[in-house]
Amino acid sequence: MNQINLKELERKAFLSTYQDGLWDMCIGLIVICMSFFLYRPATGYSPLNIVLVLACMALACALFLAGKKFITLPRMGQVKFGEKRTRRRKTMAIVLGVVVLFQAALLVIQFVGWRNPEFGAMLNEFFQERDAMDLAVATLGSLFVGPSMILVAYFMDLTRGYFIAVMIALTVFLMIYLNQPIYAIIIGILIAVPGVVLFLRFLQKYPLHREETKRE
Amino acid sequence: MSKEVGKEDLSSLAEIDRFVHEPARLAVMSLLYVVESADFTFVMNQTGLTWGNLSAHISKLEKAGYLEVEKTFRGKRPNTTLKLTSQGRRVFRDYANRMKQVFQDFDG
């Protein structure tokens, strides 16, 4: 008889809820949405960007929720995890809250600093070249997003979450620095493709048991 | 002397709960021990048991007082939620500890 490792059994059951690939597809679509949000057209930033982002994100979330409700749950079933996972989720919320507060504080300090004549002059001198300014903002932007997403992957216990975190940080960097939506679209597709593969495998692995469900 | 020690060690085997020891029930109880609750479909997929087999074992576990079965409807579909009772959890813990003792010095 194989050894029963209860911790591993719980982890396997937990990870199985991510094997439908819906999360990856949703994140991929959200990254594609980011291209509308972060793209700065030469004609100026249009409110249409915001409308497109909101519409695209709403679509991604709606597809995710509908997929979970109508495809995943009837095939895979539903599970409620124990105290350990609830604690982990709460810790994640607290840690992310602290990270966001820290980032907000950094932004405020930066904003206040820029308004300070001496400090502002120093920054303007440092970022005289447009390229240096873009590079600094792009690096800062990716540093804001990347570590937070890595924390999410860690708390979700999801190995491919680290790949997604790096990809999202790269998207933010490339979008700010190069200002070309194509990078976000390509990275979004790179994130979503494994999700599509997982989804197809999921459909094969978990067929619908209509008759059995009725008798249940 | 050594025979007596051997006899003493083997006697603990007799104390193993045969009801829990059955592989299918052990799989169901192990899974339900590590989660708070799960529905019938989830347990069936995770354990690899057939619908009929799982249904039979669930009835036995429920009758023994180890399992709480709640039948509800999700929309128009029936949904069966399974949860180990506190007695079921205690029995499973005792079983796991007993098995640990039995194979304590076993190094393969």
Side-chain angles (χ1 to χ4, degrees):
Chain A
M1 191 173 78
N2 290 329
Q3 190 187 4
I4 300 175
N5 183 337
L6 292 178
K7 271 187 188 166
E8 203 45 48
L9 184 70
E10 193 266 351
R11 189 169 180 264
K12 197 181 150 221
F14 179 73
L15 291 180
S16 71
T17 59
Y18 290 102
Q19 289 310 307
D20 54 8
L22 288 177
W23 200 72
D24 309 66
M25 287 193 274
C26 178
I27 298 283
L29 204 54
I30 287 175
V31 168
I32 294 171
C33 298
M34 280 166 65
S35 66
F36 300 122
F37 184 62
L38 294 171
Y39 178 58
R40 304 176 305 278
T43 50
Y45 204 73
S46 152
L48 190 68
N49 290 45
I50 306 284
V51 174
L52 278 173
V53 174
L54 292 177
C56 192
M57 284 194 174
L59 178 74
C61 293
L63 285 176
F64 175 78
L65 293 174
K68 278 281 177 200
K69 188 178 176 183
F70 297 110
I71 300 171
T72 306
L73 289 184
R75 288 162 189 269
M76 176 181 247
Q78 203 164 22
V79 61
K80 201 170 165 190
F81 289 94
E83 190 61 31
K84 187 190 142 199
R85 292 281 166 194
T86 316
R87 263 205 314 271
R88 215 175 155 95
R89 223 176 28 234
K90 278 182 189 164
T91 313
M92 179 174 83
I94 293 167
V95 171
L96 283 179
V98 170
V99 169
V100 168
L101 277 179
F102 176 71
Q103 290 174 343
L106 266 182
L107 276 179
V108 169
I109 288 168
Q110 201 182 348
F111 183 72
V112 171
W114 225 291
R115 287 173 71 99
N116 178 306
E118 278 179 34
F119 191 68
M122 200 175 80
L123 283 175
N124 284 330
E125 195 181 332
F126 185 72
F127 293 126
Q128 254 176 357
E129 286 180 37
R130 172 90 193 141
D131 208 37
M133 175 75 156
D134 281 351
L135 188 66
V137 174
T139 308
L140 204 66
S142 59
L143 283 176
F144 266 35
V145 176
S148 311
M149 290 304 290
I150 285 173
L151 280 173
V152 172
Y154 169 75
F155 282 110
M156 281 173 80
D157 217 351
L158 193 65
T159 313
R160 65 179 192 281
Y162 294 103
F163 160 75
I164 294 173
V166 171
M167 284 300 193
I168 291 177
L170 188 65
T171 310
V172 172
F173 181 84
L174 290 174
M175 274 303 298
I176 296 175
Y177 190 55
L178 299 174
N179 193 30
Q180 291 295 327
I182 189 70
Y183 297 109
I185 293 169
I186 290 172
I187 292 174
I189 291 170
L190 282 178
I191 295 172
V193 164
V196 174
V197 175
L198 281 172
F199 183 67
L200 293 175
R201 274 195 204 160
F202 174 83
L203 292 180
Q204 281 178 336
K205 193 177 172 187
Y206 299 102
L208 262 181
H209 302 279
R210 284 194 184 280
E211 284 311 304
E212 288 165 359
T213 315
K214 274 179 197 164
R215 283 193 291 164
E216 205 180 283
Chain B
M1 184 76 179
S2 62
K3 265 184 188 175
E4 270 180 25
V5 170
K7 197 176 170 185
E8 192 180 276
D9 288 344
L10 287 173
S11 69
S12 61
L13 281 170
E15 292 169 29
I16 287 169
D17 191 332
R18 284 162 192 253
F19 187 79
V20 181
H21 195 64
E22 199 284 325
R25 281 195 288 271
L26 183 57
V28 173
M29 287 188 82
S30 304
L31 178 66
L32 290 173
Y33 186 79
V34 295
V35 299
E36 198 183 306
S37 65
D39 71 8
F40 190 93
T41 315
F42 189 84
V43 176
M44 191 174 76
N45 284 323
Q46 292 290 313
T47 56
L49 296 170
T50 60
W51 185 90
N53 203 356
L54 177 60
S55 192
H57 286 298
I58 281 173
S59 298
K60 286 178 188 168
L61 285 166
E62 190 185 12
K63 206 178 265 180
Y66 296 170
L67 202 64
E68 202 181 296
V69 181
E70 193 190 356
K71 286 180 189 277
T72 52
F73 274 88
R74 199 188 297 142
K76 285 180 181 175
R77 281 165 172 260
N79 187 49
T80 308
T81 306
L82 311 168
K83 187 180 178 178
L84 277 189
T85 59
S86 51
Q87 188 194 355
R89 286 192 171 270
R90 199 184 59 242
V91 164
F92 181 81
R93 218 170 16 242
D94 290 347
Y95 168 83
N97 287 332
R98 181 73 59 198
M99 289 302 281
K100 256 190 222 165
Q101 279 172 11
V102 169
F103 291 108
Q104 208 169 27
D105 298 323
F106 183 71
D107 54 7

